[in-house]
Amino acid sequence: MESIVLKRTGQKMPLVGFGLWKVTKSSCADTVYNAIKAGYRLLDGAGDYGNEKEAGEGVKRAIKDGLVKREDLFITSKANNDLWNTFHAHDHVKALAKKQLNDWGLDHFDLYLIHFPIALQYVDPNHRYPPEWWGDDGKVHLQNTPMQETWRAMEELVDEGLAKNIGLSNCAGSLLLDVLNYARIRPQVLQVEIHPYLTQEPFIELARILEIPVTGYSSFGPQSYVELGASKDAGSLLQSGLIGGIGAKHGRSPAQVLLRWATQRGIAVVPKSNSHDRLVQNLKCTDFDLTQQEMDQISSLNQNLRLNNPADIDPRLGIFA
């Protein structure tokens, strides 16, 4: 299985994509261009990453040079390439989506996600963009916008052709079930943190029953959080003896084993890398199979360790409590 078919539109979402989080802004255009040249067709970005324009330049160049056509690419955006927390009010959703499309140089997103089920006070993009989590005073300011209002605006993006598919990111099962109670257009994809330290089996099973595909991010666990001082002292999965040993048996790198652990269960992945060699290597993670015993051994590393938890910023943001 190299792609996942989205139920409402029948559109195919590649199983392995290229994530843009922390891709260096100065080299992002070249990195995206080279990722497409290497065979990536799914690009996963967000306004909060601060590199949308540069990513769009890479896409534009790849299309101009004949590497791909626009319809060959599946571009995911979270307000802030998916809907960021400060744009949850109805009228702000469409305005931000249009800004992000303009930054990318696109007329539509293949998938547009609500980044977090958190509403923060609006920050005008002309004042500060990306707005991040804090106000000008360095404090977190909540806004009373219900998810139903935000989701209604997301559905209007589909109606107007600005997004082909919409979905949720960083959500728990209770929120998903609530959205399904009033959704005119069901979420087509759920994007959540998944790695061997946070296996999330109950959520994955709920999504399977509801027939909603899952994309896992932070596939390498604490690797991307070390430089942010947010790894929570978790041991490196890429240096794990277990992961390394399994990789050696298959002639694969630890990164490929971690990605295969997810993709073999039908979970899409969006690893990023500023290294071209690793970028190419990550893409080649679906042409071998782990044994069930190896899959179980990797899953046994679970600690329910959530690395991307807004409650670490402010306890009032305890969406996973």
Side-chain angles (χ1 to χ4, degrees), residues 62 94 209 237 249 276 290:
K94 190 181 302 180
I209 292 170
L237 285 168
K249 291 179 183 178
H276 184 71
L290 300 171

Side-chain angles (χ1 to χ4, degrees), residues 101-159:
L101 285 169
N102 183 65
D103 287 345
W104 274 88
L106 301 173
D107 62 3
H108 73 274
F109 287 123
D110 296 286
L111 174 64
Y112 199 60
L113 302 169
I114 294 176
H115 207 141
F116 284 96
I118 294 170
L120 301 178
Q121 284 185 14
Y122 175 69
V123 176
D124 190 324
N126 293 320
H127 175 65
R128 186 175 71 248
Y129 189 86
E132 301 183 323
W133 292 91
W134 304 275
D136 292 343
D137 58 1
K139 298 180 181 179
V140 174
H141 298 279
L142 300 178
Q143 177 172 285
N144 187 22
T145 303
M147 179 57 67
Q148 186 168 3
E149 175 180 334
T150 305
W151 192 254
R152 186 172 72 252
M154 294 284 285
E155 292 172 328
E156 291 174 8
L157 298 181
V158 176
D159 295 338

Side-chain angles (χ1 to χ4, degrees), residues 3-4 32 64 68 74 83-84 196 206 279 284 296-297 321:
S3 62
I4 296 172
V32 167
K64 181 180 178 181
V68 290
F74 190 101
L83 190 70
W84 184 246
L206 175 62
L279 177 155
K284 299 176 180 178
D296 293 342
Q297 287 175 324

Side-chain angles (χ1 to χ4, degrees), residues 23-38:
V23 172
T24 306
K25 188 173 182 177
S26 60
S27 60
C28 184
D30 289 337
T31 300
V32 167
Y33 180 90
N34 288 325
I36 293 172
K37 190 174 183 179

Side-chain angles (χ1 to χ4, degrees), residues 244-254 256-257 281 284 287-288 290:
I246 292 173
K249 291 179 183 178
H250 293 273
R252 301 290 176 151
S253 70
Q256 288 173 314
V257 170
Q281 187 183 80
K284 299 176 180 178
D287 57 355
F288 72 103
L290 300 171

